[in-house]
Amino acid sequence: MEQIRNVSEQTEDVLEKISRPLKPYIPWVARTLLVSTFIEDSVRIVMQWQNQLMYLQAYRGFPWGVSHVFLLVNVATMLVCSGLAISRRHTEYAVGGLFAVIVTQGFAYGLIFDIKFFLRNLSVAGGLLMLLAESLLAKRRNVFAGLPNISDEDQSKYVLLGGRILLVLLFVSFVFSGKLTLMRLIVSAIGGLSCLMVAVGFKAKYSAIVLVTILSVFNLAVNNWWTIDFNPVHRDFVKYDFFQTLSIMGGFLLLVNVGPGGFSVDEKKKNF
């Protein structure tokens, strides 16, 4: 047991040394990755405008005009809220707008009961909660008295807990999709353990780094949409998965930046 503790501490020291020069850039990178799926989605809607209108009108029963307004509102909301999120302005409104896009698109495109879509979007929603928690923690400092705002601090605990739990749902979809191979079993075991540690808040920052590494390799190896030129529809689906995975990676990076919050094993250990 002592050897395991020593190895864990040495690993943490190495990760700390590697990540220290990158710390000033992690928040900006995390927020940009988090909203990347919304930016890509808005660009895709504009580039495939007629196809999007035809699908909504012919297959989803949208009346002419309503489909136009729906797409315009979605594009505008995603672009404006993404810009606000990256620039750290009116974060609460940005999170609310992007969350509304997730829900409305799920119902509009008939994907709300698709389990893979549902779990992935819950993970993206978890990333949005991490963004909201970052904003709440930033508001803790009272510029006049230099004292923390207790209500914002209490809210951030619940938001971070919800964000941690939702973020790890991506791996549930990963474990139960695709062919069962030895490599998938190994990755699922490592990723599953890291997800559990993130959910309970034990060594959460380092577990999040492990998950970002796994997702980076997985995304480049499996969701390599740029190699698909024979089937545009399949290419769009793979591209969608690629950017959604980037967004979830952004959520994990935000966890690395802000920490697991008050409802976590890591925080409780500080009190002993």
Side-chain angles (χ1 to χ4, degrees):
M1 194 67 182
E2 187 65 31
Q3 288 181 330
I4 295 176
R5 186 180 293 111
N6 290 335
V7 171
S8 175
E9 291 176 352
Q10 290 174 3
T11 304
E12 288 177 15
D13 290 339
V14 171
L15 289 174
E16 183 66 28
K17 289 179 181 178
I18 294 173
S19 63
R20 191 175 297 128
L22 303 175
K23 277 187 176 179
Y25 308 101
I26 287 178
W28 182 83
V29 172
R31 293 191 299 272
T32 303
L33 288 178
L34 179 60
V35 300
S36 63
T37 189
F38 299 102
I39 296 174
E40 186 276 332
D41 196 26
S42 61
V43 172
R44 178 166 48 85
I45 289 175
V46 172
M47 297 298 292
Q48 301 176 1
W49 184 259
Q50 291 301 324
N51 291 337
Q52 295 285 331
L53 288 175
M54 184 187 71
Y55 178 81
L56 291 176
Q57 293 169 13
Y59 297 99
R60 301 302 302 167
F62 274 58
W64 191 95
V66 174
S67 56
H68 294 70
V69 173
F70 175 79
L71 292 179
L72 282 172
V73 170
N74 268 262
V75 170
T77 302
M78 288 189 287
L79 290 178
V80 171
C81 291
S82 295
L84 291 175
I86 293 173
S87 61
R88 301 180 77 172
R89 296 179 179 178
H90 307 292
T91 303
E92 294 88 348
Y93 297 109
V95 170
L98 294 176
F99 184 78
V101 168
I102 292 175
V103 175
T104 55
Q105 284 194 355
F107 283 104
Y109 288 92
L111 298 172
I112 196 68
F113 298 112
D114 183 307
I115 187 64
K116 182 180 178 182
F117 172 89
F118 185 70
L119 291 175
R120 279 181 173 273
N121 277 277
L122 279 181
S123 291
V124 174
L128 292 176
L129 287 180
M130 299 304 297
L131 181 62
L132 178 60
E134 183 193 45
S135 174
L136 291 174
L137 288 170
K139 286 184 176 181
R140 282 173 55 185
R141 300 177 183 86
N142 187 306
V143 293
F144 297 104
L147 297 175
N149 184 319
I150 301 301
S151 62
D152 284 338
E153 182 178 6
D154 290 342
Q155 290 174 20
S156 68
K157 293 179 181 179
Y158 295 99
V159 175
L160 282 167
L161 175 62
R164 293 200 323 263
I165 293 173
L166 291 179
L167 270 175
V168 302
L169 291 178
L170 171 68
F171 257 84
V172 177
S173 66
F174 172 76
V175 171
F176 294 105
S177 64
K179 296 176 66 175
L180 193 63
T181 62
L182 178 60
M183 181 58 66
R184 179 176 287 272
L185 283 173
I186 294 172
V187 173
S188 297
I190 297 173
L193 178 61
S194 299
C195 284
L196 180 62
M197 293 171 71
V198 165
V200 300
F202 177 65
K203 304 292 184 184
K205 288 187 176 183
Y206 302 105
S207 300
I209 292 174
V210 171
L211 289 170
V212 169
T213 304
I214 292 174
L215 288 174
S216 299
V217 175
F218 169 81
N219 216 21
L220 291 173
V222 177
N223 295 330
N224 49 353
W225 54 271
W226 53 88
T227 64
I228 303 173
D229 54 8
F230 57 88
N231 189 335
V233 176
H234 178 59
R235 184 175 185 268
D236 280 347
F237 276 111
V238 175
K239 189 177 182 181
Y240 175 79
D241 286 346
F242 177 86
F243 280 96
Q244 275 217 318
T245 305
L246 283 185
S247 291
I248 296 164
M249 287 166 54
F252 281 121
L253 284 177
L254 283 172
L255 173 59
V256 173
N257 185 50
V258 303
F263 294 129
S264 65
V265 176
D266 289 343
E267 192 66 25
K268 298 302 178 184
K269 285 169 62 180
K270 295 178 182 179
N271 299 325
F272 292 98

